[in-house]
Amino acid sequence: MRASRDFDDLPTDASFTTVDTHTEGEPTRIVLDWLDGSPLAGDSIRAKRESFADEYDWVRELLMREPRGHDDMFGAVAFEPHDDDADLGVFFMDSEGYLDMCGHGTIGVVSAFLDLGYLSSEPLIRVETPAGIVEASPEYNEDGVERVTIQNVESFVYGSTTVPVSFLDAPLSVDVVYAGNFFALVDSDQLGVGVDTTRTDEFIDWGLEIRAAVNDALDIVHPFTGDPGSISITEIYESPAEADRSIVVFGDGQVDRSPCGTGTCAKMALLHDIGKLSVDEPYIHESIIGTRFEGCITETKQRDGVTVVVPTITGTARITGKHTFVKDSRDPMTSLRIA
Ligand code: PYC
């Protein structure tokens, strides 16, 4: 019997190469196949993401969902930037769709690409994302990249609202904050529970219901671009003495294992707005599994009458593998979800 040592003998329709990482526990499967300049139509990163979604959404499903991924998988597609000033272009995806910005994913991509020599070790790496340019500053030790700090896009409190929800008698108060994605932020005191892993399924149901209720209640428009927006992520937080902790629900009910990079920025923007976090004051944000991002607001600005903050977050990512995924032409099971 002959053992096949590579994929050349398999009847494959397609194959994809990824570098997989986790950032403080949250995976990022980084797709390399568009890095060599393979064309994605469009004259902006958003347009390129739209063409990917139109033409290659099956690749997202193939790589994010079972049997190659799982319902909580997260991914990034890396490509040559559209913006001449950027070093790298990235957009983000999960098992349900796409996000405009991702903090843990950006840390994962920058850290892995530096460790693998795909990026040269500059002190500042500019990453083009659908939300705008994000600046990454790596810190090294003798073994390579130790941590990465990213300066996220300008973030701001959009407003607040109350929405009726099935799991409370009273309406729920929600703060709406933009930090590269629009967030619904909810204080867990209103739910009468602390944030921990004993109730993850309930938090997922609540998070999805809150997101839908706020999207029903508000017609969100980004104040600077005029683009229509919607809440993509619900962040339910508590503030114990040692460090703020949150559970972050997005996609089709995914839970971020990391403290959520954009979610940390959203929380800092909210705290600054209510006078509880000053510029340059260190902020620690803990995830549902106890991992942490360090955050800071480095600056505030007035933009079109809105106070925006410039937030940074710092965290560590590690490579978990490099993979070649194939779509065997005999295999009908390209993407599996159990309802
Ligand atoms: O780190 O910004 C983040 C993020 C968004 C969704 C999952 N993680």
Side-chain angles (χ1 to χ4, degrees):
M1 197 201 301
R2 188 174 63 97
S4 177
R5 289 179 193 278
D6 57 38
F7 292 121
D8 292 347
D9 298 333
L10 284 176
T12 53
D13 289 341
S15 79
F16 297 96
T17 306
T18 69
V19 172
D20 286 23
T21 58
H22 80 88
T23 307
E24 309 296 353
E26 178 70 359
T28 308
R29 175 161 288 167
I30 309 162
V31 185
L32 303 181
D33 299 272
W34 279 269
L35 200 52
D36 61 3
S38 302
L40 272 178
D43 60 1
S44 69
I45 185 164
R46 283 177 175 271
K48 284 179 191 295
R49 184 184 61 179
E50 292 319 309
S51 0
F52 182 91
D54 287 346
E55 214 178 324
Y56 299 111
D57 202 50
W58 63 271
V59 178
R60 178 187 63 76
E61 292 186 353
L62 187 87
L63 297 177
M64 296 294 101
R65 294 182 181 173
E66 292 184 53
R68 293 164 192 78
H70 54 82
D71 278 354
D72 286 274
M73 179 51 85
F74 196 88
V77 177
F79 57 96
E80 287 294 315
H82 179 259
D83 186 322
D84 287 343
D85 289 339
D87 301 294
L88 182 68
V90 182
F91 58 79
F92 306 99
M93 57 194 182
D94 56 38
S95 62
E96 190 202 31
Y98 301 86
L99 281 175
D100 283 352
M101 175 45 202
C102 175
H104 91 266
T106 306
I107 291 174
V109 173
V110 169
S111 183
F113 280 18
L114 285 168
D115 268 343
L116 294 170
Y118 298 174
L119 279 171
S120 53
S121 343
E122 303 295 334
L124 193 72
I125 289 149
R126 290 165 60 83
V127 183
E128 187 180 14
T129 76
I133 298 277
V134 172
E135 293 181 345
S137 314
E139 288 169 47
Y140 298 90
N141 63 18
E142 61 283 0
D143 297 322
V145 180
E146 178 56 24
R147 323 194 297 166
V148 175
T149 296
I150 63 162
Q151 181 180 293
N152 192 11
V153 296
E154 293 173 353
S155 305
F156 54 89
V157 175
Y158 181 83
S160 59
T161 187
T162 53
V163 286
V165 284
S166 66
F167 47 89
L168 283 185
D169 294 334
L172 185 78
S173 298
V174 181
D175 290 298
V176 176
V177 182
Y178 179 80
N181 303 298
F182 278 103
F183 280 77
L185 266 82
V186 172
D187 188 336
S188 70
D189 277 356
Q190 295 183 83
L191 310 174
V193 296
V195 172
D196 63 45
T197 48
T198 59
R199 298 174 173 270
T200 308
D201 287 345
E202 274 169 290
F203 278 117
I204 292 171
D205 290 345
W206 296 338
L208 294 179
E209 185 177 334
I210 293 164
R211 182 177 71 179
V214 178
N215 282 332
D216 276 351
L218 300 180
D219 286 322
I220 296 177
V221 176
H222 193 292
F224 311 139
T225 63
D227 291 335
S230 59
I231 304 287
S232 29
I233 305 180
T234 304
E235 178 170 332
I236 302 172
Y237 62 84
E238 65 168 356
S239 310
E242 215 211 319
D244 283 6
R245 183 186 310 134
S246 302
I247 181 162
V248 171
V249 179
F250 62 102
D252 197 23
Q254 293 185 224
V255 170
D256 198 334
R257 276 69 172 149
S258 86
C260 188
T262 50
T264 303
C265 298
K267 185 70 193 305
M268 288 191 291
L270 179 63
L271 289 173
H272 180 268
D273 190 65
I274 57 176
K276 290 192 171 169
L277 187 69
S278 318
V279 173
D280 289 337
E281 187 179 337
Y283 178 69
I284 303 289
H285 196 207
E286 191 169 282
S287 73
I288 189 84
I289 62 163
T291 53
R292 290 178 170 193
F293 281 146
E294 289 175 22
C296 190
I297 290 174
T298 58
E299 207 182 333
T300 64
K301 297 179 189 171
Q302 288 299 314
R303 194 169 295 289
D304 298 345
V306 179
T307 303
V308 300
V309 302
V310 179
T312 65
I313 53 150
T314 303
T316 297
R318 292 288 173 235
I319 293 172
T320 58
K322 184 169 180 181
H323 305 284
T324 303
F325 290 98
V326 293
K327 181 179 168 307
D328 186 319
S329 50
R330 299 162 298 177
D331 185 1
M333 196 165 295
T334 53
S335 144
L336 169 65
R337 300 196 97 182
I338 301 174

